[in-house]
Amino acid sequence: MKGLILDRDGTLIAHVPYLADPAQVALLPGVHDGLRVALDAGLALFLHSNQSGVGRGYYPLAAVEACNRRMIELLNLGEQPFARICIAPEAPDQPSRYRKPSPAFLREILAEHGWRADELCCIGDRALDLQVAAHTGARAIGVATGLENLQAEMTAAGLQGVFPVFDRFDAAIQHVLSLT
């Protein structure tokens, strides 16, 4: 395993609908420790987040960036623990290269680093986070820490039993490390 592609809302931080206020950013349990263990194990971290509130005109991209800065501050893992951040600001009905479940960001990481798909693992709280991996042959892990019913979403997407699901982020990281 070389790297992790991480969802933000509902995976690393508490899900707040259309989050635009950095004061509302709150880390989920086990995230700091899980990311520390991943970094110490030499895994590269990548952040991939759909932010349709920008495309819908609810807030500017600068608000997303401010929330990311606040999350990084709360993580306390260095100035920039993520090797790359990809924000898809489009609304669901707008054309987009990176909006999940598009695998474009994952494919760019593979090409940039010369890695195989099975050397990356997507971690997220929604089926569309895991569909990115399903489209490419990458690994994926669900975390049932977000707003939605992940098991129901996975069943509807045809992913039930395809990827493991954990109740805490740090447990998902321990599973990733058991694969290496």
Side-chain angles (χ1 to χ4, degrees):
M1 193 64 55
K2 306 283 183 157
L4 304 174
I5 299 179
L6 306 161
D7 174 56
R8 188 187 82 172
D9 302 304
T11 301
L12 300 179
I13 63 174
H15 177 82
V16 173
Y18 302 108
L19 176 64
D21 180 359
Q24 292 183 298
V25 173
L27 294 180
L28 288 169
V31 168
H32 173 268
D33 293 343
L35 291 180
R36 166 57 47 216
V37 167
L39 287 169
D40 288 348
L43 296 176
L45 306 179
F46 302 92
L47 185 67
H48 188 190
S49 184
N50 288 351
Q51 293 294 321
S52 69
V54 176
R56 291 175 170 156
Y58 297 166
Y59 48 83
L61 185 59
V64 175
E65 293 165 346
C67 289
N68 285 349
R69 283 191 302 275
R70 178 62 180 148
M71 177 186 66
I72 290 168
E73 178 183 293
L74 291 172
L75 285 171
N76 193 28
L77 296 171
E79 189 174 314
Q80 184 50 272
F82 300 102
R84 190 164 160 202
I85 295 174
C86 179
I87 303 299
E90 299 82 9
D93 60 344
Q94 296 172 330
S96 174
R97 176 179 172 99
Y98 295 111
R99 185 169 174 75
K100 292 179 278 184
S102 168
F105 181 57
L106 186 147
R107 288 185 175 137
E108 286 179 8
I109 293 167
L110 294 176
E112 181 179 318
H113 294 279
W115 296 338
R116 297 183 324 267
D118 66 350
E119 293 177 313
L120 280 178
C121 183
C122 298
I123 300 179
D125 70 313
R126 302 287 308 267
L128 59 86
D129 299 320
L130 309 181
Q131 286 173 321
V132 172
H135 291 313
T136 61
R139 297 174 190 256
I141 298 174
V143 287
T145 53
L147 178 66
E148 303 297 325
N149 181 336
L150 180 57
Q151 294 293 351
E153 279 193 4
M154 289 178 68
T155 298
L159 297 175
Q160 186 66 32
V162 176
F163 300 118
V165 175
F166 293 88
D167 290 332
R168 284 180 51 106
F169 183 82
D170 48 353
I173 295 299
Q174 289 304 319
H175 181 74
V176 167
L177 295 179
S178 76
L179 302 173
T180 59

